[in-house]
Structure formats: structure tokens, C-alpha cells
Amino acid sequence: MIGNLRPMEIVLILLVILLLFGAKKLPDMARSLGKSARILKSEAKAMKKESEDEAAARQDTSAQQSAPKTIQAAPGDVTSSRPVTEPGQQTTKN
């Protein structure tokens, strides 16, 4: 739609905008638009990084849960250590 405008029509539109808002308000409006764009961009990056961090944390916890935990009767007593099953975790017998 904008590509169909001729140069004279674009100049006319800019002139109307200048008359409506005034020469003093246009730089302020452009500045606030630029700030808004920067804020939006930084927030989008922060959300993306946060979701990546959460995904990595979920992968770490799933990897940690798959390893069996052991309880030792006394420090250094290897013979009495046994695997521990968590509630909700199923054991398979071979």
C-alpha cells in the first residue's frame, strides 16, 4: 500500500502530520517510539533467555532423578549401602 504512493502524496501526508502535531512534538514522539522499541526488544530477549534457562534446568533435574540414590549406614561403610526408591518411582527386577 505504501509502495503505491507517489512522492507528492508522501510529502502531502508528512505536511499534514507536521501541521497536526507541530514541529516541537514530532522529535519527542519519535524519541518515545524509539525507547518503546528498545524496551520491547530487551524484554523479548529476556523472555527468550528465561525460557532457555528453564528448559536447561528441567533437563538437569530429569538427568539427576534418573540416577539411583544410595544410603550408607555409616560413613565409609560401603558394604551396607543400598539403593533407595523414591515414592512414586517404580523398581524393575531382573
Side-chain angles (χ1 to χ4, degrees), residues 9-57:
E9 292 171 341
I10 294 174
V11 170
L12 182 65
I13 291 171
L14 291 175
L15 184 64
V16 169
I17 291 173
L18 183 64
L19 288 174
L20 285 176
F21 296 107
K24 280 189 166 187
K25 297 267 183 182
L26 287 178
D28 294 335
M29 288 173 33
R31 194 173 302 117
S32 66
L33 183 65
K35 285 181 183 178
S36 299
R38 281 193 297 271
I39 289 170
L40 180 65
K41 185 177 179 181
S42 67
E43 289 296 323
K45 282 183 181 179
M47 288 175 60
K48 184 177 180 182
K49 183 180 179 203
E50 185 177 293
S51 67
E52 289 173 353
D53 291 344
E54 287 176 0

Side-chain angles (χ1 to χ4, degrees), residues 59-91:
Q59 288 177 350
D60 290 344
T61 57
S62 66
Q64 290 173 354
Q65 289 177 353
S66 63
K69 297 179 182 178
T70 59
I71 295 178
Q72 294 182 348
D77 186 14
V78 183
T79 58
S80 63
S81 64
R82 57 185 170 81
V84 177
T85 57
E86 297 289 328
Q89 191 179 41
Q90 297 180 357
T91 60

